[in-house]
Amino acid sequence: MTQETFPAVGGDTLTACLRHWAATTPDAPALTFADFATDPAGRRRTLTWRQLAERVDATAGALAVSPGDRVAVLCPQGPDYVAGFLAAITAGAIAVPLFEPGLPGHAGRLAAVLADCTPSAVVTTAAAKRDVEEFAGPGIAVVAVDRPAPARSRPAPAVTADDVAYLQYTSGSTRSPAGVVLTHANVLANVGQAVRGLGLDPAAATTVSWLPLFHDMGLVLGLITPLALGLRSVLMDPLAFVERPVRWLELLGDHAGSWSAAPNFAFHYCASRIREADRARLRLGRVAAIVNGAEPINPDVLDRFHTAFAAAGYRPELTRPAYGLAEATVFVTTGPAAVPRVTTFDRDALATGTARPAAEGVRLVACGAPAGQLVALVDPDTAAVLPDGSVGEIWVHGPNVGAGYWRKPLESTETFGARLLGSLPEGPWLRTGDLGVRHDGELYIAGRIKDLIIVDGRNHYPQDVEATAASADPGIRPGSVAAFAVTGTDTEAVVVVAEHRGHPDPAAPALTATIRRLVSDAHGLALRDVLLVPPGRVPRTSSGKIARGACRDRYLAGDYGKALAR
């Protein structure tokens, strides 16, 4: 897919897009931020395209950087973040979307990323500047987006489509964070692919998002897609969503033709936390679609969400299951505008690498088909393409695939330079590390290779085991269970760690026994250990995924010694 197929794209670089909309629609709203921190009703602050361009230019002028320098974005969610990110690119530097040092639980990751990308400058806000200066250390210039220093006089750097726009650091679910190198061409190609795959109408669309802008899906949905297409972007802070999830759905209902995206947990969170009285006020019939991606999609959660908000006008066909990853910018596949397809596969057959529909077994949600890129299911050991119905590693080839990991040549070659055996194009292909199967023309996600549990020669998908464990008791937090393998006496053994809302009581041993029985009956696994832990003890990545490797490390280190029950 080429950029010429994009509808109404403003240019071949992000900078050109901003210039285009500031010149052609200067007074149209570019960005609205619903500020719930200072006003419980969410005070709206709007920037037009002209105002956004002026803020970007003012900040870019205050950045004393050279082409190729990295500029880290350490702003709170909102207009300052958007302006800071675009200012870094406008100044000719490579933007690195990150977060404030005060984000709970992520200081270590932030320090590691800054050490990896070695920024020449940081953009933040005046309120956070002192903390950022202390965190970043000496030798790094810190510029406040809302109070930039007087601009220096120098010519604007020439930016081309093949220049690096930003580094998207991965969430680190299976390894240390690595910066995916993404060019302007990569990013705008992915916008076009998403528009085509989703059927998004730029003439009638508004994007609404609470996702953090340092996350790949949040950045592309909330900033880059509106910038490329000249759409209005409506943003809110992730904390505002966590505090009251109804705020997100209210914002969606405020704008006809609204598009949004969220991970599976957000659908469950809304269905379980939003009261009936609040549901009655929603106007979800105005929604164009909500993409469900970034983590495994639970069909039961979709059913619950669709039932909970049917009276508010939400229809199942508005949910668009999708698959993607930062290494491919974000978007790879999505389903059509139809009720999400759920297929039940035989569990025993799936364990041997074959997806065979059955009356009972593992229910998986179809994530659609690619648009403007190629997806192959591959035997990871032989690099041979597998036939439909076989479980294999998902490989991707297209203009949206990044150039590699920042300053990691060996890892880049291994991940981004794969070659297919006896198929065209031979390469390069992106090895995603994810397992999937193509059935009836759609992609189903089975799990991650590094998380796969292999016991006695049989494959077990951890999210399948986790779902079984979570069904044992309403007190187990959905989406907060980790299943992983540890070395046993003769073979691998399996451990389940589950967050539980309750406290130690006489029923706890009975519950762990129930989990063992359910997992044994469904999967033929004798669990080595079952641990019930308080909420917040199962580690997650920055994008909210279960970090099974980190959970395994904590278990082996004895960090769960004070678990509620075993």
Side-chain angles (χ1 to χ4, degrees), residues 405-430:
Y405 295 121
W406 179 253
R407 292 180 176 172
K408 289 180 170 58
L410 294 179
E411 293 92 332
S412 296
T413 300
E414 179 182 355
T415 302
F416 293 85
R419 302 282 169 175
L420 275 180
L421 180 65
S423 297
L424 294 176
E426 179 186 2
W429 287 77
L430 165 67

Side-chain angles (χ1 to χ4, degrees), residues 25 46 157 217 246 260 269 405 416 427-428 477 496 504 516:
T25 58
T46 297
M217 192 159 68
V246 72
S260 194
Y269 195 62
Y405 295 121
F416 293 85
R477 292 163 54 87
V496 167
R516 290 179 182 276

Side-chain angles (χ1 to χ4, degrees), residues 167-215:
L167 305 181
Q168 180 66 66
Y169 273 82
T170 61
S171 57
S173 58
T174 58
R175 62 174 182 272
S176 299
V180 180
V181 179
L182 295 170
T183 67
H184 293 266
N186 292 149
V187 176
L188 292 176
N190 202 226
V191 171
Q193 292 163 341
V195 169
R196 178 177 164 185
L198 295 169
L200 186 152
D201 179 7
T206 296
T207 63
V208 177
S209 181
W210 57 267
L211 296 173
L213 289 169
F214 60 81
H215 182 250

Side-chain angles (χ1 to χ4, degrees), residues 490-529:
D490 301 312
T491 185
E492 282 196 323
V494 181
V495 174
V496 167
V497 178
E499 293 184 2
H500 195 281
R501 298 188 182 93
H503 298 281
D505 58 50
L511 176 55
T512 60
T514 298
I515 292 173
R516 290 179 182 276
R517 176 178 56 80
L518 290 174
V519 171
S520 176
D521 291 346
H523 309 280
L525 287 172
L527 296 177
R528 169 176 169 170
D529 229 341

Side-chain angles (χ1 to χ4, degrees), residues 83-454:
F85 176 83
L86 294 176
I89 296 171
T90 300
I94 299 171
V96 186
L98 294 169
F99 41 86
E100 291 181 285
L103 186 67
H106 292 287
R109 178 174 183 269
L110 179 59
V113 171
L114 291 178
D116 186 71
C117 70
T118 59
S120 299
V122 170
V123 288
T124 186
T125 58
K129 187 175 180 180
R130 177 173 295 180
D131 289 341
V132 169
E133 287 174 335
E134 291 179 358
F135 193 91
I140 300 178
V142 178
V143 173
V145 179
D146 47 347
R147 293 181 190 172
R152 296 169 176 83
S153 176
R154 58 177 177 269
V159 179
T160 70
D162 292 330
D163 287 337
V164 179
Y166 62 95
L167 305 181
Q168 180 66 66
Y169 273 82
T170 61
S171 57
S173 58
T174 58
R175 62 174 182 272
S176 299
V180 180
V181 179
L182 295 170
T183 67
H184 293 266
N186 292 149
V187 176
L188 292 176
N190 202 226
V191 171
Q193 292 163 341
V195 169
R196 178 177 164 185
L198 295 169
L200 186 152
D201 179 7
T206 296
T207 63
V208 177
S209 181
W210 57 267
L211 296 173
L213 289 169
F214 60 81
H215 182 250
D216 53 2
M217 192 159 68
L219 182 66
V220 174
L221 170 76
L223 195 161
I224 291 174
T225 297
L227 176 70
L229 303 177
L231 309 181
R232 182 180 197 168
S233 171
V234 179
L235 299 175
M236 61 182 285
D237 190 276
L239 180 59
F241 167 76
V242 172
E243 290 174 339
R244 292 196 66 216
V246 72
R247 291 165 169 167
W248 173 45
L249 301 186
E250 288 173 339
L251 284 179
L252 281 167
D254 287 345
H255 302 277
S258 55
W259 284 81
S260 194
N264 183 79
F265 92 86
F267 289 76
H268 176 270
Y269 195 62
C270 287
S272 60
R273 293 290 298 271
I274 297 177
R275 299 173 300 178
E276 185 64 36
D278 290 330
R279 295 179 192 175
R281 296 185 288 100
L282 297 172
R283 299 176 295 167
L284 299 183
R286 311 183 80 200
V287 175
I290 304 178
V291 176
N292 185 320
E295 64 183 15
I297 302 171
N298 186 319
D300 295 330
V301 167
L302 295 188
D303 291 342
R304 185 174 181 184
F305 184 87
H306 297 157
T307 299
F309 299 103
Y314 193 85
R315 306 182 305 280
E317 59 267 28
L318 299 181
T319 299
R320 309 294 285 279
Y323 165 73
L325 67 166
E327 286 81 352
T329 303
V330 64
F331 168 85
V332 175
T333 68
T334 190
V339 176
R341 180 188 294 181
V342 178
T343 302
T344 302
F345 294 104
D346 181 270
R347 180 174 278 111
D348 291 336
L350 203 62
T352 61
T354 300
R356 186 173 66 239
E360 296 182 357
V362 181
R363 298 176 71 216
L364 298 179
V365 178
C367 291
Q373 54 192 303
L374 301 176
V375 170
L377 278 301
V378 181
D379 183 325
D381 296 322
T382 67
V385 178
L386 297 172
D388 287 1
S390 298
V391 178
E393 184 180 9
I394 302 168
W395 287 22
V396 180
H397 176 87
N400 54 304
V401 174
Y405 295 121
W406 179 253
R407 292 180 176 172
K408 289 180 170 58
L410 294 179
E411 293 92 332
S412 296
T413 300
E414 179 182 355
T415 302
F416 293 85
R419 302 282 169 175
L420 275 180
L421 180 65
S423 297
L424 294 176
E426 179 186 2
W429 287 77
L430 165 67
R431 297 190 61 169
T432 68
D434 292 317
L435 292 170
V437 61
R438 185 181 283 110
H439 173 73
D440 283 348
E442 294 197 69
L443 181 68
Y444 292 77
I445 311 303
R448 285 196 60 79
I449 291 176
K450 293 184 179 180
D451 287 338
L452 191 64
I453 298 170
I454 304 174

Side-chain angles (χ1 to χ4, degrees), residues 533-551:
V533 300
R537 293 297 307 281
V538 173
R540 295 178 178 273
T541 69
S542 62
S543 60
K545 299 176 185 176
I546 296 296
R548 299 183 181 94
C551 191

